[in-house]
């Protein structure tokens, strides 16, 4: 399955990174907290919050934007009525890069989620070092180690979206007492997308947990549907990349999605 391939490739890269910069080096460097932005707060807006993703490619779509310019996209997101930005840093399948986070941070004021596949504690500290305000922790990757990883993220002042796709993963997340839950509508095994995944799982989510519905959101009506279910935020990638590709305005989508 794709998840296994992604992680297989990434494992080698993480081992290489550890040689160049050890965990001790990172720990020394992250001591002086610079500009950490409050990701969790951004999801608490009265209306539904929007996390807009910067995504050049994906395993299901290949390259989405040929003339991809992460800084240009970041500036469009800064000017749009969205609450937070997600930046893919995974290289092989999503054509992301670690350096994008800082680049985006320089031209925006909104909190930034590092979107990647985290399976080694080293990557959490590294996320802080490269400027992320929040990380994604995927239960399908971490299993019962989730709580350990979640606690590390919190300890160093990062927020975490804990991603689940089914009832079993949701149980692991809730047992770890997470405060932000992401329901991925995309099945990582076959890439099938179904917003009903959020509808099915939301009833088990306690009211104090902030809920993000991720993937496959194509229209303002999709956002309204998710809002009617009670989700706090949506995570949108491909649809925004397509709007930008076609010269459209992100805010046209946002205005139709929010409000009454
Ligand atoms: O482009 P979409 O369908 O709007 O999806 C965005 C986001 O949810 C998706 O990129 C994503 C969700 N979970 C992930 C985990 C890793 C990489 C990417 C993802």
């Amino acid at each position: 399955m794709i998840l296994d391939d992604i992680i297989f490739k990434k494992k080698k890269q993480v081992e290489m990174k550890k040689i160049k910069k050890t965990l001790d080096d990172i720990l020394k460097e992250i001591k002086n907290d610079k500009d950490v932005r409050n990701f969790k707060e951004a999801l608490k807006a009265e209306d539904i919050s929007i996390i807009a993703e910067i995504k050049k490619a994906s395993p299901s779509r290949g390259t989405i934007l040929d003339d991809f310019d992460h800084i240009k996209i970041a500036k469009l997101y800064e000017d749009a009525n969205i609450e937070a930005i997600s930046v893919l840093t995974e290289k092989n399948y999503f054509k992301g890069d670690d350096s994008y986070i800082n680049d985006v941070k320089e031209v925006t004021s909104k909190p930034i989620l590092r979107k990647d596949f985290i399976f080694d504690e080293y990557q959490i500290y590294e996320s802080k070092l490269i400027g992320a305000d929040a990380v994604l922790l995927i239960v399908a990757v971490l299993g019962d180690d989730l709580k350990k990883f979640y606690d590390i993220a919190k300890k160093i002042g990062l927020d975490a979206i804990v991603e689940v796709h089914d009832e079993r993963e949701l149980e692991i997340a809730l047992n770890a007492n997470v405060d932000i839950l992401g329901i991925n509508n995309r099945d990582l095994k076959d890439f099938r997308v179904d917003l009903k995944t959020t509808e099915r799982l939301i009833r088990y989510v306690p009211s104090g947990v902030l809920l993000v519905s991720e993937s496959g959101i194509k229209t303002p009506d999709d956002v309204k549907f998710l809002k009617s279910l009670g989700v706090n935020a949506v995570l949108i990638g491909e649809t925004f990349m397509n709007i930008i590709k076609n010269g459209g305005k992100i805010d046209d989508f946002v205005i139709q999605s929010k409000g009454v």
Side-chain angles (χ1 to χ4, degrees):
M1 131 156 130
I2 188 74
L3 200 53
D4 299 328
D5 295 344
I6 294 173
I7 289 179
F8 181 78
K9 283 219 175 87
K10 265 202 92 83
K11 274 203 169 131
K12 291 182 190 154
Q13 288 167 359
V14 172
E15 290 314 314
M16 295 293 288
K17 282 173 160 180
K18 285 182 182 171
I19 295 169
K20 277 200 203 147
K21 197 181 273 266
T22 67
L23 183 55
D24 270 352
D25 294 336
I26 294 187
L27 288 173
K28 272 178 217 137
E29 285 181 48
I30 62 175
K31 272 218 169 108
N32 35 359
D33 265 10
K34 12 176 207 212
D35 175 22
V36 181
R37 302 173 183 169
N38 197 329
F39 183 82
K40 189 176 167 186
E41 207 51 41
L43 305 187
K44 288 187 182 164
E46 211 177 295
D47 203 337
I48 196 161
S49 295
I50 296 181
I51 308 167
E53 188 154 278
I54 299 182
K55 182 182 195 179
K56 178 170 183 180
S58 75
S60 54
R61 284 283 182 271
T63 299
I64 304 167
L65 257 188
D66 275 323
D67 60 345
F68 175 88
D69 178 345
H70 60 289
I71 296 176
K72 208 168 96 192
I73 300 168
K75 286 181 181 160
L76 292 173
Y77 285 166
E78 177 66 6
D79 293 339
N81 193 11
I82 58 106
E83 281 64 30
I85 300 171
S86 165
V87 179
L88 268 152
T89 55
E90 198 282 332
K91 274 178 187 289
N92 296 307
Y93 295 85
F94 294 87
K95 304 207 174 126
D97 198 274
D98 290 351
S99 65
Y100 289 178
I101 303 248
N102 242 324
D103 293 346
V104 171
K105 208 156 204 184
E106 272 175 21
V107 297
T108 61
S109 60
K110 299 178 188 190
I112 300 170
L113 168 73
R114 179 192 191 187
K115 203 64 163 335
D116 211 315
F117 297 81
I118 292 183
F119 49 81
D120 187 317
E121 294 169 21
Y122 177 91
Q123 296 168 282
I124 305 180
Y125 297 99
E126 176 194 62
S127 301
K128 171 102 174 184
L129 181 73
I130 63 177
D133 305 303
V135 287
L136 182 77
L137 298 176
I138 305 174
V139 176
V141 172
L142 294 170
D144 290 327
D145 283 340
L146 169 74
K147 185 162 171 49
K148 191 170 78 190
F149 280 62
Y150 178 79
D151 289 345
I152 292 172
K154 285 282 164 180
K155 191 184 75 194
I156 62 171
L158 295 177
D159 281 318
I161 295 189
V162 174
E163 179 177 301
V164 302
H165 180 67
D166 61 25
E167 285 77 358
R168 199 185 53 88
E169 291 174 7
L170 178 61
E171 196 181 335
I172 294 177
L174 295 180
N175 283 338
N177 272 324
V178 306
D179 56 358
I180 310 175
L181 194 74
I183 295 181
N184 195 354
N185 299 308
R186 183 174 289 113
D187 189 332
L188 292 175
K189 287 181 219 91
D190 57 15
F191 298 138
R192 280 225 314 261
V193 172
D194 189 351
L195 299 190
K196 291 216 166 66
T197 313
T198 297
E199 188 176 27
R200 196 181 84 228
L201 295 180
I202 198 169
R203 68 186 113 143
Y204 306 111
V205 180
S207 59
V209 175
L210 286 166
L211 184 65
V212 184
S213 184
E214 309 173 354
S215 311
I217 296 153
K218 303 250 172 289
T219 64
D221 276 345
D222 288 343
V223 180
K224 285 186 181 156
F225 167 67
L226 293 165
K227 190 156 78 172
S228 76
L229 298 178
V231 312
N232 302 93
V234 287
L235 178 46
I236 303 178
E238 210 179 302
T239 298
F240 284 167
M241 294 300 104
N242 286 330
I243 289 176
I244 291 168
K245 185 152 106 186
N246 299 325
K249 279 207 178 80
I250 300 294
D251 263 346
D252 287 345
F253 184 101
V254 174
I255 288 163
Q256 290 179 56
S257 304
K258 291 188 182 181
V260 279

